[in-house]
């Protein structure tokens, strides 16, 4: 395994392109597996690991993540508490494990829901044109003029702190890029011959959109999902770090870094490890995203 | 369409955009639960006092009338009074602006210092070790939360060396440089991967272009070609890319100012949100949006003036 195979660049795909099955036979299961680039497999394995940790959190965690123990405050790592305890005597390792159940699904939803709304609005704008298009595009201009994350702070303030406010704010501010992408794809696709043919054949507009336009457009949008999951996860952690995201005592990685920062002189692992956990998830997801982008470029 | 009518049209577009932005900020007041008058007067106020203030603020008027009045106030530079400090929001902003300006300037400077050489190396040695290392580092940079990078710089650089203060903003020029260096570096480490990625792509297209091939064929030295064509193009396009990233940089400032206890606009917004100080939140949000609109506008105008190839769509 060379370094090139981990990080092939899009311009030089000779190293990552696996030999295709020759002959007319369809690729079997093993052939398909071999054609997935190594970095997609590594990234996918990392993401899968986080999913498993989230699913089996009660089995993996050694303590109750929110149980306060005033006797063992800010303990160093021991056999009992492998990453020590926080200011309230809660087990840091167990909190990191349980936080996977907060950060992972919210990071995913924070990227998926805006994508869904954006694809729907973009498809409508592109297909119907006219005033529908104008309204959607003008609204997207205003939304885009705002620094989205800063408006999210204001919105979460207005809606009340908590996961649902954050996801709502992500959704109504994050759809713009997807809408623009899908709109331009729809404008391109709907001039194609087979879409004309479907229209001449008398198919309803909705049906044409669903059966002929949508499948063509969706792969473009899907490719951006992994990197948006990274952004959403980092942003969620940032809001919690600022004290404006997931309210205590729910364990959350960003909030744990904020809790650990005052103690970096004595308990350096407290703020360090939750950050490493975020970086790990981000790297895994980015590897998946890069492979998807490269696969689409070919 | 001529260049100047494009600029005039672009300037006119700012007006509806600003009205939309003010509308969103105005709506924050409408959707926030709780009585704003109660916030101002305090919990012990009598009904009469509440009515008096409500009368004074004309909160009983129609929403559209209130919106119109809000626009008029903002046009006069009046952003209201902070619930907490009872000072005008504009004076809060004025005090904090300097710190954020320092952070953004130093951050952008360090971003360019990192990105331009890295992007040139990645483009020249495309596909080879240098490119792969830069690409891997970029992937890592994109996955690291800025606030954590800040805490790590405090842990691994500020504490062992003692060269940098653990937080706050200095008084003298030297102190300011020292207190802004690590925050600016944090900002630069977060924004460089974006800049490197798009610069690398644009430089590869310059390297593959006909005029570089011509220059090479007519015997220009490699070093001279790089300086003359590649570097100049890179410098111009990196400014454009940075302009597009302004929203990202501002959010970076919010997070980093909080991490390093820098009394800038971003920290002001966070403290206002924690303290449920609505006029201050509205003021900061509006200001950040205006900065974004202004930077996009300037970058469009600069591009129209500088680059004769820009195709101006009607």
């Amino acid at each position: 395994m060379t370094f090139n195979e981990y990080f092939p660049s899009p311009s030089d795909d000779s190293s990552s392109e696996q030999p295709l099955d020759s002959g007319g036979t369809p690729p079997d299961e093993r052939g398909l597996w071999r054609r997935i680039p190594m970095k997609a497999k590594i990234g996918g394995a990392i993401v899968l690991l986080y999913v498993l940790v989230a699913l089996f959190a009660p089995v993996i965690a050694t303590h109750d993540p929110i149980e306060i123990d005033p006797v063992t405050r800010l303990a160093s790592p021991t056999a009992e508490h492998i990453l020590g305890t926080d200011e309230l005597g809660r087990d840091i390792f167990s909190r990191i494990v349980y936080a996977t159940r907060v950060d992972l699904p919210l990071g995913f939803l924070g990227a998926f829901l805006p994508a869904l709304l954006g694809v729907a609005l973009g498809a409508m704008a592109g297909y119907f044109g006219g005033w529908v298009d104008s309204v959607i595009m003008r609204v997207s201009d205003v939304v885009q003029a705002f620094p989205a994350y800063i408006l999210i702070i204001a919105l979460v303030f207005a809606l009340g702190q908590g996961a649902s406010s954050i996801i709502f704010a992500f959704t109504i501010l994050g759809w713009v890029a997807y809408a623009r992408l899908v709109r331009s794809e729809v404008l391109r696709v709907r001039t194609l011959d087979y879409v004309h043919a479907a229209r001449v054949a008398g198919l309803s507009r909705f049906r044409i959109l669903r059966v002929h336009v949508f499948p063509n457009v969706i792969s473009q949008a899907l490719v951006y999902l992994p990197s948006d999951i990274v952004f959403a996860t980092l942003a969620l952690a940032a809001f919690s770090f600022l004290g404006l995201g997931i309210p205590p005592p729910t364990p959350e990685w960003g909030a744990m870094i904020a809790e650990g920062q005052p103690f970096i002189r004595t308990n350096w692992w407290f703020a360090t490890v939750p950050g490493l956990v975020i970086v790990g998830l981000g790297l895994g997801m980015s590897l998946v995203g890069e492979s998807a982008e490269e696969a689409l470029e070919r | 369409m001529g260049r100047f009518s494009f600029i005039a049209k672009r300037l006119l577009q700012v007006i509806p955009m600003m009205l939309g932005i003010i509308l969103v900020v105005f709506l924050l007041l409408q959707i926030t639960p709780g009585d704003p008058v109660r916030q101002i007067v305090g919990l012990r106020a009598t009904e009469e006092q509440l009515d008096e203030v409500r009368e004074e603020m004309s909160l009983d008027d129609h929403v559209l009338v209130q919106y119109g009045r809000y626009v008029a106030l903002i046009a006069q530079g009046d952003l209201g009074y902070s619930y907490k400090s009872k000072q005008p929001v504009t004076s809060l902003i004025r005090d904090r602006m300097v710190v954020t300006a320092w952070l953004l300037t130093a951050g952008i400077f360090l971003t360019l210092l990192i990105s331009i050489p890295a992007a040139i190396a990645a483009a020249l040695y495309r596909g080879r070790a240098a490119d792969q290392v830069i690409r891997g580092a970029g992937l890592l940079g994109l996955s690291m939360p800025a606030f954590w990078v800040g805490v790590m710089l405090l842990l691994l650089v500020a504490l062992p060396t003692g060269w940098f203060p653990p937080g706050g903003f200095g008084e003298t020029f030297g102190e300011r440089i020292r207190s802004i260096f690590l925050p600016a570096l944090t900002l630069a480490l977060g924004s460089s991967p974006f800049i490197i990625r798009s610069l690398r792509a644009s430089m590869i297209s310059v390297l593959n272009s006909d005029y570089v091939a011509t220059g090479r064929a007519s015997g220009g030295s490699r070093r001279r070609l790089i300086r003359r064509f590649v570097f100049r193009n890179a410098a111009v396009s990196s400014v454009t890319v940075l302009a597009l990233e302004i929203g990202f940089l501002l959010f970076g400032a919010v997070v980093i100012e909080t991490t390093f206890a820098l009394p800038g606009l971003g920290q002001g917004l966070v403290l206002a949100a924690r303290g449920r100080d609505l006029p201050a939140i509205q003021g900061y949000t509006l200001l950040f949006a205006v900065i974004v609109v202004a930077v996009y506008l300037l970058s469009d105008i600069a591009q129209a003036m500088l680059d004769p190839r820009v195709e101006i769509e009607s």
Side-chain angles (χ1 to χ4, degrees):
Chain A
M1 175 58 52
T2 65
F3 195 67
N4 266 7
E5 279 165 282
Y6 277 107
F7 297 107
S9 53
S11 55
D12 129 72
D13 47 12
S14 56
S15 59
S16 59
E17 198 166 278
Q18 306 295 323
L20 297 173
D21 291 67
S22 51
T25 54
D28 60 0
E29 284 287 299
R30 258 192 84 218
L32 197 68
W33 174 248
R34 285 224 313 270
R35 278 192 303 175
I36 298 174
M38 181 48 78
K39 69 178 177 182
K41 288 178 193 163
I42 295 173
I46 295 173
V47 174
L48 183 67
L49 180 71
Y50 279 81
V51 172
L52 290 175
V53 169
L55 285 177
F56 296 105
V59 183
I60 299 166
T62 53
H63 292 74
D64 182 335
I66 55 172
E67 192 187 64
I68 292 172
D69 178 4
V71 182
T72 56
R73 292 173 66 241
L74 293 170
S76 297
T78 56
E80 165 82 9
H81 299 284
I82 56 176
L83 284 174
T85 58
D86 68 7
E87 205 187 356
L88 298 173
R90 298 173 296 195
D91 183 63
I92 293 176
F93 172 74
S94 303
R95 285 181 69 72
I96 290 176
V97 168
Y98 267 96
T100 315
R101 293 189 151 190
V102 175
D103 287 85
L104 199 64
L106 289 182
F108 177 79
L109 277 183
F112 181 73
L113 293 181
L116 203 65
L117 182 64
V119 169
L121 289 176
M124 278 166 59
Y127 197 82
F128 295 114
W131 66 269
V132 178
D133 187 26
S134 305
V135 169
I136 292 175
M137 285 298 109
R138 291 297 78 74
V139 173
S140 83
D141 283 343
V142 173
V143 172
Q144 207 167 31
F146 271 99
Y149 291 127
I150 284 164
L151 191 56
I152 291 176
I153 294 179
L155 263 181
V156 169
F157 162 80
L159 298 168
Q161 210 178 333
S164 51
S165 302
I166 291 185
I167 298 301
F168 177 77
F170 273 37
T171 306
I172 64 166
L173 295 174
W175 56 273
V176 173
Y178 286 96
R180 284 173 189 258
L181 177 80
V182 167
R183 175 178 176 268
S184 63
E185 274 293 296
V186 169
L187 288 179
R188 189 180 66 78
V189 168
R190 78 172 185 172
T191 60
L192 298 180
D193 285 343
Y194 69 92
V195 176
H196 275 305
R199 195 176 300 157
V200 172
L203 263 64
S204 79
R205 289 212 284 189
F206 180 71
R207 199 178 148 77
I208 295 175
L209 200 58
R210 191 167 58 86
V211 177
H212 294 287
V213 180
F214 210 63
N216 273 293
V217 163
I218 199 74
S219 62
Q220 285 279 348
L222 268 180
V223 159
Y224 292 102
L225 201 56
S227 58
D228 270 3
I229 295 177
V230 178
F231 287 134
T233 310
L234 292 183
L236 174 79
F239 292 127
S240 303
F241 173 84
L242 297 174
L244 308 170
I246 306 298
T250 308
E252 197 285 330
W253 297 327
M256 292 186 73
I257 295 171
E259 289 157 14
Q261 191 185 354
F263 307 106
I264 48 170
R265 274 169 207 276
T266 50
N267 299 32
W268 59 266
W269 55 87
F270 186 175
T272 306
V273 180
L276 290 174
V277 172
I278 298 177
V279 175
L281 178 61
L283 269 181
M285 211 48 108
S286 301
L287 286 173
V288 173
E290 280 221 339
S291 321
E293 273 173 49
E294 283 160 25
L296 195 75
E297 272 167 27
R298 286 204 197 114
Chain B
M1 195 200 293
R3 188 165 296 179
F4 288 98
S5 60
F6 165 74
I7 292 174
K9 198 168 172 198
R10 188 67 187 70
L11 278 170
L12 278 179
Q13 278 176 1
V14 169
I15 297 172
M17 190 81 94
M18 282 310 302
L19 288 175
I21 287 168
I22 295 173
L23 178 66
V24 172
V25 172
F26 169 76
L27 286 176
L28 278 180
L29 176 71
Q30 308 296 317
I31 58 174
T32 303
D35 185 351
V37 177
R38 188 58 90 178
Q39 290 267 5
I40 297 167
V41 186
L43 288 176
R44 294 217 193 104
T46 61
E47 275 305 315
E48 287 85 54
Q49 281 173 302
L50 284 177
D51 286 338
E52 210 170 288
V53 176
R54 204 168 280 142
E55 188 91 1
E56 214 171 284
M57 293 173 67
S58 320
L59 287 176
D60 294 327
D61 291 350
H62 190 269
V63 172
L64 279 177
V65 178
Q66 289 189 47
Y67 171 63
R69 203 165 36 227
Y70 190 64
V71 173
L73 279 176
I74 287 170
Q76 294 162 30
D78 182 352
L79 294 175
Y81 286 82
S82 155
Y83 288 166
K84 292 284 157 198
S85 66
K86 312 290 178 202
Q87 283 177 347
V89 171
T90 42
S91 78
L92 296 181
I93 287 174
R94 206 175 36 239
D95 293 344
R96 291 181 173 273
M97 207 129 78
V98 183
V99 181
T100 303
W102 268 79
L103 175 60
L104 290 178
T105 311
I108 289 170
F109 176 73
L110 288 179
T111 303
L112 294 179
L113 209 61
I114 296 170
S115 312
I116 293 181
I120 290 178
L124 288 180
Y125 303 104
R126 178 170 13 146
R128 285 190 264 162
D131 188 20
Q132 309 295 357
V133 169
I134 290 166
R135 172 175 280 268
L139 216 55
L140 192 65
L142 285 181
S143 310
M144 293 195 294
F147 53 93
W148 181 74
V149 173
V151 174
M152 288 301 104
L153 287 176
L154 286 173
L155 174 67
L156 301 172
V157 179
L159 287 182
T161 62
W163 294 340
F164 306 101
F169 191 58
E171 287 295 323
T172 66
F173 185 79
E175 278 174 13
R176 288 184 169 188
I177 293 280
R178 284 204 315 171
S179 54
I180 217 69
F181 178 74
L182 289 181
L185 183 62
T186 310
L187 191 63
L189 290 175
S191 58
S192 294
F194 295 103
I195 313 294
I196 293 173
R197 188 180 278 201
S198 52
L199 265 188
R200 175 185 177 276
S202 78
M203 269 189 287
I204 286 174
S205 75
V206 172
L207 283 172
N208 291 340
S209 66
D210 289 343
Y211 58 87
V212 169
T214 311
R216 204 170 280 172
S218 51
S221 79
R222 186 177 158 84
R223 182 181 290 268
R224 200 174 148 258
L225 283 172
I226 290 170
R227 199 174 44 214
R228 169 117 189 233
F229 296 119
V230 183
F231 190 79
R232 190 179 294 177
N233 264 296
V236 173
S237 58
S238 62
V239 172
T240 321
V241 179
L242 263 173
L244 288 177
E245 295 293 337
I246 183 69
F248 176 85
L249 289 173
L250 291 177
F251 183 63
V254 170
V255 171
I256 291 165
E257 283 172 7
T258 307
T259 312
F260 288 92
L262 285 171
L265 296 169
Q267 191 205 40
L269 174 65
V270 172
L271 293 179
R274 285 187 194 156
R276 304 204 61 77
D277 187 349
L278 185 63
I281 294 176
Q282 288 178 308
Y284 289 121
T285 309
L286 193 65
L287 179 68
F288 282 123
V290 168
I291 294 174
V292 171
V293 170
V295 169
Y296 282 0
L297 179 72
L298 287 177
S299 116
D300 277 0
I301 291 178
Q303 247 191 329
M305 302 291 281
L306 294 177
D307 194 340
R309 289 170 306 180
V310 170
E311 272 289 319
I312 296 160
E313 287 176 41
S314 53

